[in-house]
Amino acid sequence: TKVQAERYKVLSRLGKGGMGEVMAVRDDVVGREVALKRIRRTDPSDRLIARFLREATVQGRLEHPSIVPLYDIGRDASGLPYFTMKKLAGTTLAKVFGGDRRDFSLQRLLRAFVDVCLAIEFAHVRGVIHRDLKPDNIVLGEFGEVSVLDWGVAKVIGEPDGEFGDVHSGSQDGENPTATVPGTVVGTPGYMSPEQVRGDADIDGRADVYALGCLLFEILAG
């Protein structure tokens, strides 16, 4: 609606991914800055829109201190969908690994790792498998908080997966032509379990546990 379209004022772009971009916006109704994710394409297919909305609803059903809360789902003036969520302040684990670790003691990193494990356990209990755990998707906040990002390729147990989930997280256009083909690899090289590399359709929470093991190795080995 027009009211929804005028609610958010774009301030800057925070980042972009395979099918969307995340903007810092001002919510004029509540009076705060939030993050707004939208599709980058101006003419997305129905399948891409469905995948985008699926990401929002998967993230929205997981209410946990280490999973970014969803605030709102709507459509802009041109009819394209968006969703808003908490705007994070902090640094990704990838930047910690790639830079100066003196501000992040081993104890702090291990505490953060435990928080990630608890968030993933929470998701697994609710039938959601992340499938793309990696340092880029973990944010260490300025006040000790830890957040697990990007549920765009999550697998939901008991729901159809092939139409939306089977796509590389690094796809540049979000319209991978093999996205509906069983056996497509989902995840990020270096963190994928063997069953993900094989493209198995029936993966479960153990795939996330494998990725957590990779993260723990990096924390301990530097």
Side-chain angles (χ1 to χ4, degrees), residues 117-144:
C117 290
L118 292 172
I120 296 304
E121 180 186 18
F122 176 87
H124 288 177
V125 168
R126 281 151 182 78
V128 178
I129 302 162
H130 189 285
R131 289 202 292 197
D132 196 24
L133 291 172
K134 58 184 177 182
D136 281 315
N137 286 339
I138 296 169
V139 173
L140 308 182
E142 297 175 347
F143 300 96

Side-chain angles (χ1 to χ4, degrees), residues 184-212:
T184 300
V185 174
V186 182
T188 298
Y191 302 92
M192 288 188 290
S193 63
E195 57 268 32
Q196 285 176 275
V197 175
R198 290 194 301 266
D200 292 355
D202 59 345
I203 69 165
D204 56 29
R206 290 173 291 184
D208 284 346
V209 174
Y210 183 97
L212 289 170

Side-chain angles (χ1 to χ4, degrees), residues 83-214:
F83 61 90
T84 60
M85 52 193 164
K86 178 181 178 181
K87 181 175 175 286
L88 299 179
T91 185
T92 66
L93 191 58
K95 290 182 179 178
V96 174
F97 288 158
D100 190 346
R101 288 176 50 149
R102 285 180 296 181
D103 292 335
F104 297 90
S105 67
L106 179 60
Q107 183 183 29
R108 181 177 178 186
L109 292 177
L110 289 173
R111 284 202 308 267
F113 177 75
V114 169
D115 287 340
V116 172
C117 290
L118 292 172
I120 296 304
E121 180 186 18
F122 176 87
H124 288 177
V125 168
R126 281 151 182 78
V128 178
I129 302 162
H130 189 285
R131 289 202 292 197
D132 196 24
L133 291 172
K134 58 184 177 182
D136 281 315
N137 286 339
I138 296 169
V139 173
L140 308 182
E142 297 175 347
F143 300 96
E145 68 273 28
V146 180
S147 299
V148 180
L149 309 182
D150 198 353
W151 297 83
V153 296
K155 177 183 177 70
V156 181
I157 302 299
E159 293 186 8
D161 185 52
E163 185 178 358
F164 307 123
D166 293 340
V167 62
H168 293 276
S169 64
S171 174
Q172 292 304 303
D173 59 5
E175 290 283 8
N176 185 341
T178 64
T180 59
V181 179
T184 300
V185 174
V186 182
T188 298
Y191 302 92
M192 288 188 290
S193 63
E195 57 268 32
Q196 285 176 275
V197 175
R198 290 194 301 266
D200 292 355
D202 59 345
I203 69 165
D204 56 29
R206 290 173 291 184
D208 284 346
V209 174
Y210 183 97
L212 289 170
C214 296

